[in-house]
Amino acid sequence: MNTDQILKDLQIIVGREFATNSPEDLYIYSQDPGASLPRPVDFVVMPKTTEEVQKIVKLANEEKIPLVPMGGGLTLSGLIIPVKGGIVLDMKRMDQVIEINELSRYALIEPGVSTGQLLAYLNEHHPDLQPAIPDAPPSATIAGNVLIHGSGYLSQKYGDHGAIVNGLEVVLASGEVVKLGSCAVSDYWFARGPIPDLVGLFLSSFGTMGIVTKLSVQIFPKPKFREIVFGLMKDEENIPNLLLEITTKEFIEDVILGKQDKPEWMKGYIFFMVYITGDSQEDIDAKIKILKKIYRKNGARYMKATQKMIDLYIEKPIFASGAADFRKGGGFEYVGANMPLEKIPEA
Ligand SMILES: Cc1cc2nc3c(=O)[nH]c(=O)nc-3n(C[C@H](O)[C@H](O)[C@H](O)COP(=O)(O)OP(=O)(O)OC[C@H]3O[C@@H](n4cnc5c(N)ncnc54)[C@H](O)[C@@H]3O)c2cc1C
């Protein structure tokens, strides 16, 4: 590989500032905050436009260099660290919110738009609408999240985040651009149909099928009231039934369950956080009552959320980021667990 020439070519495509192979830059991109060991990277490039992505893909093809797209780089499982060296294609400069369609309820965005950015944009310009976002740090991108079938806010109600994709613009390995969904046959990005649904080919394929350069995701009405209903239980065997009963209630936005040894009082318990929504406090109270009944029936205990918990989980849902960095001595790995209810006790 003629490293100097390739760097020059990349810099011609994106500008001098946005392509690099300096050791200090490559060091950063050779790792993520998860448990994977660092792996070597040859170049990092930050395109601004679809045309630039096309040119980079064509160059990588000619030179037979692997290409790994990266959003926020926060999946914690080494997905954005090349396996055999090559170019990391950092998409963060493609960060435009192109359109919010209130009527057909979608956001058309570039792949570098972060979850925090879209949330802030909607809060400012469309306060009655909300995106489906993960409980990840706000610098995670919407694209990176939907492309791994992520989950979090609203996933119980509307499906995992792969399900909220209405359409994609993708640069294929050949450098060609394709549009998938209603955007292929109209100016609107409102649905995956009416053409054959090929969006699925690009979900959970980690950039190997193409580089997403635009995407449309559904956005949702924001409920007036939101609350978390905590529960604690000891017996894993009761989880599937409890979850089944909870999730058949239509007022559930999302459910998180887990087990952790800290703080001390949580040791030995499985905890549930059930996010519910409503139009009034009375509405919320009635729903809490229903959940308490389900908890009791399945051997779980209701626990009133303290203000601190509400602050952590609803008001400032970025609680986990501080604890997630392996390099700082903390750490957990997001495994993106997809499994049938039956398998949860074993997990
Ligand atoms: C503290 C913490 C909590 C988390 N909680 C959650 C959670 O609740 N729910 C959840 O789902 N996730 C969670 N995660 C995991 C992860 O942060 C999110 O899923 C996040 O949205 C991934 O987005 P990203 O921009 O970091 O993606 P990246 O890691 O940058 O990319 C993800 C994958 O998509 C590919 N990719 C990225 N951009 C493109 C593109 N334009 N075209 C093609 N392929 C592309 C990458 O190559 C990679 O394979 C958590 C992570 C942390 C650190």
Side-chain angles (χ1 to χ4, degrees), residues 82-219:
V83 175
K84 293 184 176 168
I87 303 172
V88 172
L89 193 63
D90 184 337
M91 305 301 283
K92 286 188 201 68
R93 286 180 68 225
M94 296 184 70
D95 62 353
Q96 297 303 301
V97 175
I98 300 166
E99 181 195 353
I100 301 294
N101 186 319
E102 286 216 13
L103 205 54
S104 295
R105 280 221 220 108
Y106 63 81
L108 174 59
I109 58 176
E110 290 188 327
V113 170
S114 70
T115 54
Q117 185 188 345
L118 184 59
L119 188 62
Y121 188 92
L122 290 176
N123 281 343
E124 187 178 345
H125 302 288
H126 305 272
D128 296 333
L129 293 172
Q130 60 176 342
I133 55 172
D135 296 302
S139 54
T141 61
I142 297 281
N145 185 246
V146 299
L147 289 174
I148 60 156
H149 278 115
S151 62
Y153 277 32
L154 309 183
S155 15
Q156 184 51 49
K157 223 170 191 171
Y158 303 109
D160 73 59
H161 295 165
I164 65 167
V165 177
N166 281 345
L168 298 175
E169 178 189 270
V170 185
V171 175
L172 300 178
S174 60
E176 287 164 288
V177 178
V178 291
K179 280 183 165 177
L180 306 169
S182 59
C183 64
V185 287
S186 79
D187 291 335
Y188 296 91
W189 293 63
F190 67 99
R192 290 195 191 185
I195 57 172
D197 182 3
L198 299 178
V199 168
L201 279 176
F202 296 86
L203 302 179
S204 288
S205 55
F206 312 121
T208 56
M209 299 294 288
I211 315 289
V212 173
T213 44
K214 281 191 193 86
L215 65 156
S216 160
V217 291
Q218 294 165 29
I219 44 180

Side-chain angles (χ1 to χ4, degrees), residues 186-324:
S186 79
D187 291 335
Y188 296 91
W189 293 63
F190 67 99
R192 290 195 191 185
I195 57 172
D197 182 3
L198 299 178
V199 168
L201 279 176
F202 296 86
L203 302 179
S204 288
S205 55
F206 312 121
T208 56
M209 299 294 288
I211 315 289
V212 173
T213 44
K214 281 191 193 86
L215 65 156
S216 160
V217 291
Q218 294 165 29
I219 44 180
F220 304 95
K222 197 188 274 177
K224 288 205 178 77
F225 288 79
R226 181 185 262 137
E227 177 83 56
I228 294 182
V229 188
F230 277 86
L232 290 172
M233 71 177 354
K234 285 222 156 168
D235 188 357
E236 284 97 356
E237 294 310 315
N238 290 338
I239 299 176
N241 207 43
L242 178 76
L243 283 181
L244 176 66
E245 287 197 38
I246 289 174
T247 53
T248 46
K249 301 289 167 225
E250 282 179 0
F251 52 84
I252 308 299
E253 260 192 348
D254 194 21
V255 183
I256 295 178
L257 75 157
K259 213 174 175 183
Q260 60 187 59
D261 285 350
K262 298 274 178 209
E264 205 57 40
W265 61 264
M266 282 179 103
K267 215 171 183 161
Y269 283 104
I270 299 141
F271 70 86
F272 289 82
M273 301 198 310
V274 180
Y275 290 70
I276 62 171
T277 58
D279 289 331
S280 64
Q281 193 53 49
E282 295 78 59
D283 188 15
I284 291 280
D285 290 344
K287 288 168 178 169
I288 293 178
K289 233 180 189 171
I290 296 173
L291 282 176
K292 276 183 180 172
K293 230 186 223 170
I294 296 177
Y295 283 4
R296 255 198 315 276
K297 195 173 143 203
N298 290 282
R301 188 150 60 84
Y302 163 74
M303 210 186 97
K304 190 163 171 45
T306 61
Q307 191 53 47
K308 195 171 166 200
M309 284 168 163
I310 291 170
D311 282 352
L312 279 177
Y313 295 110
I314 294 194
E315 305 299 340
K316 303 174 193 112
I318 52 169
F319 65 96
S321 18

